[in-house]
PDB file of all heavy atoms in Angstrom:
ATOM      1  N   THR A 756      45.370 -75.306 196.050  1.00 94.00           N
ATOM      2  CA  THR A 756      44.562 -75.072 197.298  1.00 94.00           C
ATOM      3  C   THR A 756      45.375 -75.553 198.448  1.00 94.00           C
ATOM      4  O   THR A 756      45.907 -76.688 198.467  1.00 94.00           O
ATOM      5  CB  THR A 756      43.240 -75.984 197.250  1.00 94.00           C
ATOM      6  OG1 THR A 756      42.480 -75.599 196.179  1.00 94.00           O
ATOM      7  CG2 THR A 756      42.425 -75.840 198.498  1.00 94.00           C
ATOM      8  N   VAL A 765      56.099 -76.610 205.668  1.00 96.00           N
ATOM      9  CA  VAL A 765      56.727 -76.459 204.370  1.00 96.00           C
ATOM     10  C   VAL A 765      55.707 -76.539 203.211  1.00 96.00           C
ATOM     11  O   VAL A 765      55.930 -75.961 202.197  1.00 96.00           O
ATOM     12  CB  VAL A 765      57.848 -77.536 204.156  1.00 96.00           C
ATOM     13  CG1 VAL A 765      57.345 -78.894 204.049  1.00 96.00           C
ATOM     14  CG2 VAL A 765      58.759 -77.094 203.032  1.00 96.00           C
ATOM     15  N   ASP A 811      62.607 -73.228 207.650  1.00 91.00           N
ATOM     16  CA  ASP A 811      61.194 -73.439 207.233  1.00 91.00           C
ATOM     17  C   ASP A 811      60.922 -74.708 206.493  1.00 91.00           C
ATOM     18  O   ASP A 811      59.900 -75.022 206.018  1.00 91.00           O
ATOM     19  CB  ASP A 811      60.592 -72.196 206.488  1.00 91.00           C
ATOM     20  CG  ASP A 811      61.454 -71.999 205.170  1.00 91.00           C
ATOM     21  OD1 ASP A 811      62.263 -72.746 204.750  1.00 91.00           O
ATOM     22  OD2 ASP A 811      61.110 -70.876 204.582  1.00 91.00           O
ATOM     23  N   TRP A 825      63.549 -75.012 196.716  1.00 97.00           N
ATOM     24  CA  TRP A 825      62.772 -76.223 196.379  1.00 97.00           C
ATOM     25  C   TRP A 825      62.339 -76.925 197.677  1.00 97.00           C
ATOM     26  O   TRP A 825      62.942 -76.696 198.727  1.00 97.00           O
ATOM     27  CB  TRP A 825      63.307 -77.070 195.370  1.00 97.00           C
ATOM     28  CG  TRP A 825      64.733 -77.656 195.717  1.00 97.00           C
ATOM     29  CD1 TRP A 825      65.908 -77.061 195.731  1.00 97.00           C
ATOM     30  CD2 TRP A 825      64.971 -79.056 195.896  1.00 97.00           C
ATOM     31  NE1 TRP A 825      66.803 -77.992 196.146  1.00 97.00           N
ATOM     32  CE2 TRP A 825      66.336 -79.196 196.168  1.00 97.00           C
ATOM     33  CE3 TRP A 825      64.186 -80.201 195.886  1.00 97.00           C
ATOM     34  CZ2 TRP A 825      67.011 -80.434 196.367  1.00 97.00           C
ATOM     35  CZ3 TRP A 825      64.797 -81.474 196.120  1.00 97.00           C
ATOM     36  CH2 TRP A 825      66.127 -81.532 196.374  1.00 97.00           C
ATOM     37  N   TYR A 830      51.967 -86.593 200.012  1.00 97.00           N
ATOM     38  CA  TYR A 830      50.449 -86.606 199.910  1.00 97.00           C
ATOM     39  C   TYR A 830      50.135 -88.061 199.973  1.00 97.00           C
ATOM     40  O   TYR A 830      50.955 -88.981 199.847  1.00 97.00           O
ATOM     41  CB  TYR A 830      50.076 -85.946 198.570  1.00 97.00           C
ATOM     42  CG  TYR A 830      50.201 -86.696 197.332  1.00 97.00           C
ATOM     43  CD1 TYR A 830      49.106 -87.323 196.723  1.00 97.00           C
ATOM     44  CD2 TYR A 830      51.418 -86.835 196.683  1.00 97.00           C
ATOM     45  CE1 TYR A 830      49.201 -88.051 195.588  1.00 97.00           C
ATOM     46  CE2 TYR A 830      51.592 -87.618 195.592  1.00 97.00           C
ATOM     47  CZ  TYR A 830      50.523 -88.198 195.023  1.00 97.00           C
ATOM     48  OH  TYR A 830      50.699 -88.952 193.829  1.00 97.00           O
ATOM     49  N   ARG A 853      69.554 -69.754 180.751  1.00 86.00           N
ATOM     50  CA  ARG A 853      69.943 -70.912 179.892  1.00 86.00           C
ATOM     51  C   ARG A 853      70.645 -71.984 180.699  1.00 86.00           C
ATOM     52  O   ARG A 853      70.452 -73.169 180.495  1.00 86.00           O
ATOM     53  CB  ARG A 853      70.984 -70.325 178.860  1.00 86.00           C
ATOM     54  CG  ARG A 853      71.490 -71.365 177.933  1.00 86.00           C
ATOM     55  CD  ARG A 853      72.386 -70.648 176.764  1.00 86.00           C
ATOM     56  NE  ARG A 853      73.366 -69.752 177.269  1.00 86.00           N
ATOM     57  CZ  ARG A 853      74.507 -69.984 177.770  1.00 86.00           C
ATOM     58  NH1 ARG A 853      74.928 -71.208 177.731  1.00 86.00           N
ATOM     59  NH2 ARG A 853      75.385 -68.998 178.099  1.00 86.00           N
ATOM     60  N   VAL A 859      69.026 -77.946 185.381  1.00 95.00           N
ATOM     61  CA  VAL A 859      67.919 -78.234 186.291  1.00 95.00           C
ATOM     62  C   VAL A 859      66.618 -78.545 185.573  1.00 95.00           C
ATOM     63  O   VAL A 859      66.011 -79.643 185.686  1.00 95.00           O
ATOM     64  CB  VAL A 859      67.807 -77.224 187.411  1.00 95.00           C
ATOM     65  CG1 VAL A 859      66.652 -77.604 188.355  1.00 95.00           C
ATOM     66  CG2 VAL A 859      69.099 -76.898 188.165  1.00 95.00           C
ATOM     67  N   SER A 880      49.523 -70.735 190.000  1.00 96.00           N
ATOM     68  CA  SER A 880      48.873 -71.941 189.377  1.00 96.00           C
ATOM     69  C   SER A 880      49.948 -72.873 188.734  1.00 96.00           C
ATOM     70  O   SER A 880      51.116 -72.475 188.527  1.00 96.00           O
ATOM     71  CB  SER A 880      47.857 -71.505 188.293  1.00 96.00           C
ATOM     72  OG  SER A 880      48.483 -70.806 187.224  1.00 96.00           O
TER      73      SER A 880
END
Side-chain angles (χ1 to χ4, degrees):
T756 303
V765 69
D811 61 8
W825 62 291
Y830 79 102
R853 180 174 46 86
V859 179
S880 62

